[in-house]
């Protein structure tokens, strides 16, 4: 039996999100979708698995994700399916399938979804992880790039993860642009093939841009002197990139030009960016994205330029560990003391919930002391204490758990007494 198949062990590289961290996961996802919606990005939910072909054509046959990391399986009907390793290709597929591009452009969509990649697990790198993303599909103007980038950076700062924004343009697939540059880069690498790390030599033919991402110190030393894409952009990509940087400056979004920044997925064109947080160690990119102007056509669709980002929720939570948000607080913890009060207390808690209040109570039949402890631990503002005497007189005691002040209120007035 593989080492990660013990009876109570989740598969290697996966995490159970447990309370209290799970509260933060929910909070961050909710805050993200809310922030995105306020800028016009509406949620989309695509299937957790797609036809394998989608990622091969979309993400790219030579990309690391496709060659080494996909969870691909054959279903009982003999179809090759893959757990989605990323969100952009599925979103573009859904836009094409449902003709969302026939309305006003750009189509603006957001998602919060689990992704699956068979990577070597380490802190901040898992086999199932969560991404929050937006996609703006159907426009190629630089204002769209600036909008997407600004939303990502602001959201991260708002949830307590200030980041540095690294920005580049990697041109487009044309002979007078990235095509010519790849020729120059390939020549440069071939001349230095013996100085490259062994794992990087095969990349010269398959995916030369990725040599910039190599962790091998020998390759990194070579790449320090490599020709840069930004010196080989065609006129239109250069003008586009100038539009992006000028607009970001207009809206006061700080960035650092990063001419060696390339992205792992092959569909990227023009703008590429990454949000990097401090204190995360080796896996310090909390998010990244870029343009994918050729993706729709790679999938067999019409020309449909797009741009988006994906933020790693697992890394956002790691970065926030020192600075967590409290779980959403209860208004009332109902405490039952004495004969016949438990069922009444239960009815009261249900009544409060029906009135839109956050209420809980002890269902473990504990004594008053244990219930008061649970009330304190719950973070509730009030303990509503129901004893036999209160029950008989139609009253309830409210204890303010911050100040320890107590007062009696009529049961009928409980909702208004505790409503924040
Ligand atoms: P990518 O889709 O590779 O551009 O990644 C975008 C963001 O998703 C990264 O910046 C990370 O924050 C996060 N991410 C990517 N891969 C993983 C992984 N294996 N485990 C956890 N987070 C990841």
């Amino acid at each position: 039996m593989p080492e990660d198949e013990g009876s109570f062990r989740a598969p290697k590289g996966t995490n159970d999100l447990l309370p209290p961290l799970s509260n933060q996961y929910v909070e961050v996802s909710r805050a993200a979708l809310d922030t995105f919606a306020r800028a016009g990005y509406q949620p989309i939910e695509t299937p957790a698995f797609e036809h394998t072909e989608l990622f091969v054509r979309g993400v790219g046959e030579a990309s690391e994700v496709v060659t080494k990391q996909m969870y691909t399986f054959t279903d009982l009907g003999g179809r090759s399916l893959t757990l989605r390793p990323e969100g952009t290709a599925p979103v573009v597929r859904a836009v094409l399938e449902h003709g969302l591009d026939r309305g006003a452009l750009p189509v603006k969509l957001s998602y919060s979804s689990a992704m699956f990649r068979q990577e070597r697990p380490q802190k901040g790198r898992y086999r199932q992880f969560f991404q929050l993303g937006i996609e703006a599909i159907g426009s190629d103007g630089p204002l769209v790039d600036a909008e997407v980038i600004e939303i990502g950076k602001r959201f991260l700062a708002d949830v307590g993860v200030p980041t540095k924004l690294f920005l580049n343009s990697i041109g487009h697939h044309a002979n007078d642009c990235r095509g010519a540059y790849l020729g120059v880069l390939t020549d440069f690498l071939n001349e230095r093939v013996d100085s490259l790390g062994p794992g990087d030599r095969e990349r010269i033919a398959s995916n030369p841009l990725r040599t910039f991402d190599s962790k091998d110190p020998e390759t990194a030393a070579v790449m320090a002197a490599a020709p840069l894409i930004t010196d080989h952009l065609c006129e239109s990509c250069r003008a586009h990139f100038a539009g992006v940087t000028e607009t970001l400056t207009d809206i006061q979004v700080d960035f650092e030009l990063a001419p060696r920044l390339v992205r792992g997925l092959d569909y990227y064109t023009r703008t590429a960016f990454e949000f990097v947080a401090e204190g995360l160690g080796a896996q310090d990119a909390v998010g990244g994205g870029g343009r994918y102007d050729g993706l729709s056509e790679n999938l067999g669709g019409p020309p449909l330029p797009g741009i988006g980002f994906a933020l790693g929720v697992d890394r956002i939570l790691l970065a926030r560990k020192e600075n967590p948000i409290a779980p959403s607080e209860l208004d009332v913890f109902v405490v039952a003391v004495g004969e016949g009060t438990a069922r009444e207390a239960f009815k009261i808690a249900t009544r409060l919930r029906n009135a839109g209040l956050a209420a809980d109570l002890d269902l473990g039949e504990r004594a008053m002391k244990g219930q008061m402890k649970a009330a304190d631990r719950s973070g509730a503002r009030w303990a509503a204490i129901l004893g036999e005497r209160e029950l008989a007189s139609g009253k309830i005691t409210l204890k303010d758990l911050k100040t320890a002040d107590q007062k009696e209120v009529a049961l009928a007035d409980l909702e208004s007494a505790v409503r924040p």
Side-chain angles (χ1 to χ4, degrees):
M1 186 174 355
E3 105 281 343
D4 57 348
E5 260 184 40
S7 34
F8 294 126
R9 286 246 172 100
K12 189 172 168 181
T14 66
N15 293 302
D16 294 309
L17 262 171
L18 307 175
L21 197 63
S22 50
N23 286 296
Q24 295 205 45
Y25 167 73
V26 171
E27 247 352 90
V28 166
S29 311
R30 197 180 288 154
L33 293 178
D34 186 53
T35 301
F36 303 159
R38 285 162 176 273
Y41 291 77
Q42 298 197 70
I44 180 168
E45 191 60 62
T46 62
F49 56 85
E50 297 271 355
H51 293 293
T52 302
E53 189 63 17
L54 174 69
F55 300 112
V56 174
R57 289 167 64 161
V59 177
E61 223 161 349
S63 67
E64 206 130 305
V65 167
V66 169
T67 52
K68 299 196 181 136
Q69 300 176 348
M70 296 209 300
Y71 282 101
T72 296
F73 60 98
T74 306
D75 77 356
L76 295 177
R79 301 168 198 91
S80 178
L81 301 170
T82 295
L83 295 183
R84 70 181 156 214
E86 62 93 51
T88 302
V91 168
V92 172
R93 192 267 308 139
V95 165
L96 295 174
E97 179 170 343
H98 302 287
L100 302 187
D101 56 316
R102 283 186 230 121
L105 296 176
V107 186
K108 302 210 292 190
L109 297 165
S110 67
Y111 63 83
S112 165
S113 311
M115 304 294 161
F116 308 86
R117 294 182 197 170
Q118 194 155 342
E119 301 202 72
R120 197 167 50 77
Q122 52 183 291
K123 184 183 166 203
R125 186 179 290 289
Y126 311 111
R127 291 183 169 178
Q128 174 174 330
F129 57 98
F130 296 93
Q131 286 188 334
L132 295 162
I134 63 175
E135 312 288 351
I137 299 169
S139 302
D140 64 1
L143 293 185
V144 192
D145 304 45
E147 174 174 285
V148 165
I149 292 170
E150 192 276 335
I151 291 170
K153 193 161 191 303
R154 170 163 47 89
F155 168 71
L156 287 167
D158 284 352
V159 291
V161 187
T163 54
K164 260 191 157 173
L165 163 62
F166 292 97
L167 185 65
N168 195 17
S169 173
I170 55 172
H172 78 301
H173 304 276
N175 287 337
D176 63 341
C177 195
R178 195 191 307 167
Y181 168 70
L182 289 180
V184 173
L185 179 64
T186 305
D187 290 347
F188 170 88
L189 292 170
N190 277 329
E191 280 160 27
R192 292 159 184 79
V193 64
D194 296 334
S195 313
L196 296 177
D200 292 314
R201 291 175 194 169
E202 67 195 43
R203 281 180 165 166
I204 301 178
S206 64
N207 208 345
L209 270 186
R210 293 291 289 171
T211 45
F212 281 107
D213 272 347
S214 174
K215 298 277 181 283
D216 193 302
E218 288 183 75
T219 305
V222 172
M223 298 320 284
L228 299 173
I229 177 79
T230 33
D231 296 327
H232 293 81
L233 294 177
C234 69
E235 208 32 61
S236 98
C237 285
R238 192 183 302 278
H240 187 273
F241 193 44
V244 175
T245 54
E246 282 158 21
T247 312
L248 287 173
T249 305
D250 277 353
I251 56 175
Q252 292 168 344
V253 173
D254 292 335
F255 59 86
E256 200 168 297
L257 292 177
R260 291 184 175 76
L261 173 74
V262 294
R263 307 261 311 134
L265 315 177
D266 286 0
Y267 51 59
Y268 285 116
T269 52
R270 293 191 161 176
T271 312
F273 57 92
E274 223 156 60
F275 302 112
V276 173
E278 269 178 24
L280 274 182
Q283 307 304 323
D284 58 357
V286 284
R291 274 207 162 270
Y292 43 83
D293 292 348
L295 177 56
S296 166
E297 285 149 291
N298 287 349
L299 300 180
L304 204 56
I307 179 163
F309 64 63
L311 311 178
V313 187
D314 308 78
R315 292 187 196 172
I316 293 175
L317 297 188
L318 281 173
R320 290 164 46 92
K321 240 186 186 158
E322 290 86 54
N323 186 18
I325 356 171
S328 67
E329 280 184 2
L330 285 181
D331 299 309
V332 190
F333 197 98
V334 187
V335 172
V337 192
E339 241 357 76
T341 54
R343 189 177 287 203
E344 284 309 312
F346 181 74
K347 277 161 60 183
I348 291 168
T350 309
R351 201 180 93 189
L352 293 170
R353 289 172 184 162
N354 276 312
L357 290 152
D360 200 2
L361 77 168
D362 169 55
L363 295 175
E365 298 176 20
R366 272 181 286 185
M368 179 172 183
K369 203 167 147 210
Q371 294 184 52
M372 289 307 293
K373 240 191 211 160
D376 275 327
R377 254 202 311 265
S378 75
R381 171 75 204 281
W382 303 99
I385 306 162
L386 187 71
E388 290 171 44
R389 185 182 52 81
E390 282 98 341
L391 186 56
S393 60
K395 299 218 164 105
I396 193 159
T397 300
L398 272 183
K399 179 176 178 188
D400 184 325
L401 292 172
K402 284 203 184 105
T403 63
D405 291 344
Q406 288 197 182
K407 62 180 174 190
E408 252 190 10
V409 297
L411 252 180
D413 300 334
L414 181 57
E415 282 88 338
S416 51
V418 298
R419 200 176 285 287

